[in-house]
Each structure stands twice: as structure tokens, then as C-alpha cells.
Amino acid sequence: VFGLGYVFAIRMIVLVAVVDYRIPRMILPAATQTLASAVCGLVLFGSDLIMPLIVSVGTFGVCVCVFLTIFDIPLKRSCGLSGMHFVNVFFGHITNGSNDMEAYFRKISDFVSVPVTTFFFRRAEKKDIWFVVPNLHPGPMSDIGGSNFPNLLFREFADEATVLVSHGCASHDLNMISNNETVKIAAAIRKSQPSAKFSGTASRPVRSRCGNVSILSQKFGDSLLMVTTRSPKMTEDMDYSIGRIIMGEAKLRYGNVGFVDAHNCMTNVTKIIYPSTKAGNEFITGGTAALCAMENAEMFPLKAGVSHLELPFDRDHGFGDTGLVTLVTEAGGERTAYVLFDGNNVKEGVRETLRDAVLAEGFAECEILTTDSHVVNSMSGRNPVGLEVDVSEILPFVLDGIKRAVDDLSPADVGAATEICEEVEVFGPGKMIQLTSIVSGIVSNLIPLCILFLLVAFFAVLVVCMLVL
């Protein structure tokens, strides 16, 4: 009697979680094994088993329904969403690659308009090079949402230019709801191109520091590219407002500013960097100082070269679909290397090893960057470059990419432009933090709550059966 009620309860929970979150639809499928066993029980033990079976199955069933209802309450109150529906679409994505999670997230989505800054390098008789700084986040995971948009942009413009899609100031609040939203970024880049003012000059690279923040700055024509990192400290997502503050500070000094989060040192999964924090203030103070220092930088004729390598590593190893793209600039006799991995962050210490090796090749400056593409994350937010593949295996590809980019060096004109990417559908401000905190609270209480309800059902059946029998 207890076994049949318990099995019905467990099957009910599993089917509601995996197959369909709508409880009434799962009652009959969950009861098939119990009904078949009940028939066998009646044959073996007679009609005296009927009432205890009804009590057992009914009591366990009611407890399960109450448990599932309580499970849904936090999300429904805060977001109007079903927690079990989320479990459904998550399992669907993990097991068969379903994108039903996108439809689920649309119920909480918002529309935003954010700037996209692009540095256009053009060279005679060679393919152009575009360095893109989008203020959108390539998440949340796998192929869900906009996780793969850096690669999609790379492929979109492959016939026109070799594109480096860097990581701007954006957190999971600015996850695109679908990779289809990438067309809006592409449209903004194309729209901005005619307004770019081209120049054949660039400054030497300058590295400055403010606290734990290091900033590599290089001026191209009337625009400034700034690549920031906190390595060897944790370098994670910066809030969108930090980038906008820097762009506002630069408005009267430069035509455009590309403020890049190199996203190149993972020590653990941590929180977003906000302007009000110590780290946020270091980014703002250091960025403002760099803006002032670079305003009157001496300019020199510019050369630029690029290379693209498809790596023999896959998403499970922490490498996205684009592979490795390297931009080398030369101005005033000094070469600068921008080494961009399609991946989500870099294991602590790997950036320093790779950078030192590049500097040893005669470069004045180098920075290791990632796109922050979350296609490499499925079950965990931790899969940085260098975690699954040792740095000794990665280094030869970096050096090869550098060599190819140097061989590709040729005189270049560069122009930058910023365009507002209009009405992009994203998760929305605060939504990911809200969802994560609620789900974390649910999960932490899930097992104790489940055990409690099963014990309640067990003793309820025991008492009723003792009274009936």
C-alpha cells in the first residue's frame, strides 16, 4: 500500500518536471504503474486492499500537488512564471537541444537601445578589419538566447571583413532573448559605417593603472580604443552604466570611444561590477584619467594586420565556434597585439603566460581578450579558456596567429563610428538576478520540503489505514 502511493508520487514529480508542468495532464501517465500493480494486489490480497489503496494514492497525490503548487509560488508572485515550466524547458534543452527556453524568457523580456561602437580598418587590396564593441551580453548558456552572437556577427560579415567581436559593458541583464536579435546589431554596424571619419594615423599603445585596473589605450584617428582588465584579479562583467559613464566623459574629447572588458581572468563565478563598488570606481577613475592622457597623444602612420585560426578544441574545452582572431597594429615603430578568443573568460594565470610570450616576440603591448560567448556553458558558468586545455597547448596557436597577423601587416586607414542598436529584446534589468536568487532559494529548500511532504503523506496514510482497518 505504501509502495504504490509512494511510486505514484515520485512518478508524478518526475513527469511534471520532465514532460509537462501542467499537473492534470500527468495524473494518468503517473498512475499507470500504480494501477497495474493495484490490479495484481487485488488478485493476491482480495477486495480488502481497495480502501487502503485509495487512501494511499489519494493522500500521496494530494501531497504532491500541494508540493508542486508551493514550488511554483515564488516565481509566479515575482515574475508570473511557473517554476516547473522552467524545469520542463531546461530539461528539453539539455536532452534534445530544444529552444523552448527562449519562448519562456520572452514572458519577462524588455526592449533596450544600446550603443555599438565599431573601428573600421581598411587596406588596399586586402580584406577590411572591424573591431566591434557591442554593449550586449552573449548569454545565458549554450545556444539559448544570444549566447552565440559573437560568432554569428563574425560569419555575417565574413565576405567583407575579418571581425573581432569584443565584450563591452554588459551583464546577463542584457542577454538577448534570441540569437535572431543579432540582425539588429548587424544593422546598426552597417548603418554606422558611412559616418566613420577615416584617418591613416594611430598613437603608440599606452598602458595605465588605477588600483587593480589596468587599461590598454590606443588612439586611432579621432577615436580611442580602451581595453580593460583586473587580471590577476577576477575580471568579470561590468554593469552597462560604467561604459556609458566613460563614453559620456569622452564626448567632448573624442569622436568615439570603444570601452572593452577584456574578460580575461576567472578565479571563481562572481558578481557584476557596479559603479558604486571599489572596482567600479577604479574602472571609472582609471578610464577618465586615460581619456585625458591620450587626448594629445602623438600620432603616427598606421599599419594593421589580422589572422583567424580555427582551433582543434570545442565548446566542452572552453572554446567557441569562431576560434582565435588576432589583430596587430603598428604605429611609431611599436606593435600592439589584440588576441581574441571566442570563449567565456580565461583561467587565472593563463593571460599572463600568453601575454608574456607575445611580448617576448618584440611587441610593445599585448592584451588577451575573450568574447564572453556562453555557448561553452551548459550546466555550469565555469568553463574558461585554459581550464580544460593546458596553456602549453594553447600557446603555439597564439604565436602562430601573431605571426600570420604580422605577415598580413599593411598600411591602413581607420575610422570609428557609434550607432544605437534599437529595440533589442533582452532579459531586462535585474531579471536574471531576480530569477537566480528565487531559483537558488527554491533549490536550497527543495529536498527538505520534498522529504517533509513524503513523511506527512506516509504518516497520514498510516493513521487513516489504522482507523479504517
Side-chain angles (χ1 to χ4, degrees):
V1 167
F2 284 116
L4 294 184
Y6 176 79
V7 167
F8 172 71
I10 296 301
R11 283 171 60 85
M12 188 75 172
I13 292 173
V14 172
L15 289 175
V16 168
V18 176
V19 180
D20 194 329
Y21 68 99
R22 289 161 289 196
I23 295 173
R25 296 189 177 196
M26 293 295 100
I27 292 176
L28 186 58
T32 53
Q33 184 174 344
T34 297
L35 291 173
S37 300
V39 171
C40 296
L42 290 173
V43 172
L44 292 171
F45 304 110
S47 60
D48 289 343
L49 194 64
I50 294 177
M51 184 57 68
L53 278 178
I54 292 173
V55 171
S56 178
V57 173
T59 304
F60 273 98
V62 169
C63 283
V64 166
C65 290
V66 173
F67 167 73
L68 294 174
T69 301
I70 292 176
F71 182 88
D72 269 348
I73 287 175
L75 272 178
K76 281 189 175 179
R77 281 183 176 175
S78 62
C79 308
L81 301 174
S82 165
M84 274 298 170
H85 189 190
F86 176 79
V87 177
N88 280 177
V89 296
F90 179 76
F91 273 116
H93 170 70
I94 294 299
T95 55
N96 57 34
S98 167
N99 280 342
D100 289 344
M101 285 184 76
E102 292 183 0
Y104 180 86
F105 287 131
R106 285 186 190 280
K107 297 177 182 179
I108 61 169
S109 65
D110 285 326
F111 288 87
V112 299
S113 297
V114 296
V116 177
T117 301
T118 307
F119 291 79
F120 301 95
F121 296 82
R122 62 187 186 188
R123 304 170 299 166
E125 299 181 359
K126 285 189 176 182
K127 186 185 286 189
D128 288 353
I129 308 166
W130 296 356
F131 193 107
V132 181
V133 189
N135 290 286
L136 291 161
H137 191 269
M141 64 179 196
S142 192
D143 283 304
I144 296 298
S147 297
N148 204 26
F149 89 74
N151 177 255
L152 295 180
L153 278 182
F154 179 86
R155 302 298 176 191
E156 170 72 19
F157 299 114
D159 293 336
E160 304 170 56
T162 301
V163 182
L164 292 87
V165 183
S166 62
H167 181 43
C169 287
S171 66
H172 281 275
D173 290 344
L174 294 178
N175 284 337
M176 293 189 296
I177 214 72
S178 167
N179 277 317
N180 294 331
E181 295 291 299
T182 304
V183 298
K184 297 177 182 178
I185 307 176
I189 293 172
R190 290 190 186 281
K191 186 178 178 181
S192 71
Q193 192 172 12
S195 64
K197 297 179 181 179
F198 284 86
S199 167
T201 61
S203 72
R204 293 188 177 103
V206 176
R207 186 172 291 275
S208 57
R209 297 195 68 89
C210 179
N212 292 317
V213 172
S214 172
I215 302 175
L216 172 60
S217 304
Q218 190 166 17
K219 191 175 179 182
F220 296 100
D222 67 346
S223 299
L224 184 66
L225 177 62
M226 307 170 72
V227 182
T228 66
T229 181
R230 296 181 74 241
S231 184
K233 298 288 186 180
M234 182 71 181
T235 303
E236 251 298 339
D237 294 336
M238 283 187 278
D239 186 66
Y240 168 73
S241 59
I242 293 178
R244 289 298 274 171
I245 290 170
I246 297 298
M247 294 175 75
E249 291 282 347
K251 191 172 183 180
L252 299 178
R253 296 187 178 98
Y254 301 92
N256 303 272
V257 168
F259 191 73
V260 179
D261 171 10
H263 212 75
N264 58 5
C265 184
M266 173 170 275
T267 57
N268 52 33
V269 179
T270 189
K271 298 178 181 178
I272 302 165
I273 297 174
Y274 289 101
S276 55
T277 63
K278 180 181 178 181
N281 276 301
E282 288 178 351
F283 276 109
I284 294 169
T285 303
T288 303
L291 291 174
C292 297
M294 295 298 294
E295 187 174 2
N296 297 314
E298 186 178 0
M299 305 298 283
F300 303 90
L302 170 67
K303 289 184 179 181
V306 71
S307 68
H308 170 230
L309 295 179
E310 293 186 358
L311 305 177
F313 314 117
D314 58 24
R315 295 180 178 184
D316 291 337
H317 297 119
F319 295 83
D321 303 338
T322 304
L324 175 65
V325 187
T326 303
L327 167 65
V328 171
T329 64
E330 184 178 298
E334 294 185 358
R335 290 177 178 174
T336 308
Y338 301 92
V339 181
L340 177 68
F341 288 99
D342 190 18
N344 180 5
N345 222 309
V346 178
K347 181 184 176 184
E348 180 184 12
V350 170
R351 175 252 186 192
E352 280 69 29
T353 301
L354 298 177
R355 182 173 179 272
D356 290 346
V358 173
L359 294 179
E361 296 294 312
F363 282 78
E365 263 300 346
C366 169
E367 194 54 84
I368 309 298
L369 307 89
T370 66
T371 62
D372 193 25
S373 172
H374 279 52
V375 295
V376 301
N377 305 113
S378 55
M379 297 297 292
S380 168
R382 182 178 172 83
N383 191 18
V385 171
L387 180 66
E388 298 295 334
V389 180
D390 190 81
V391 65
S392 61
E393 298 181 57
I394 301 170
L395 181 57
F397 296 101
V398 171
L399 295 178
D400 186 27
I402 291 292
K403 182 179 181 304
R404 294 184 186 214
V406 169
D407 292 342
D408 188 55
L409 277 172
S410 58
D413 291 334
V414 59
T418 301
E419 184 65 39
I420 299 297
C421 191
E422 300 282 357
E423 293 298 291
V424 183
E425 191 173 8
V426 299
F427 280 29
K431 295 294 176 61
M432 277 304 294
I433 294 175
Q434 187 179 18
L435 279 174
T436 302
S437 61
I438 292 172
V439 171
S440 296
I442 291 172
V443 171
S444 63
N445 294 304
L446 189 60
I447 293 178
L449 193 62
C450 185
I451 293 173
L452 175 62
F453 274 100
L454 290 175
L455 286 174
V456 169
F458 178 85
F459 285 111
V461 171
L462 180 62
V463 171
V464 173
C465 285
M466 287 176 66
L467 293 174
V468 171
L469 299 177

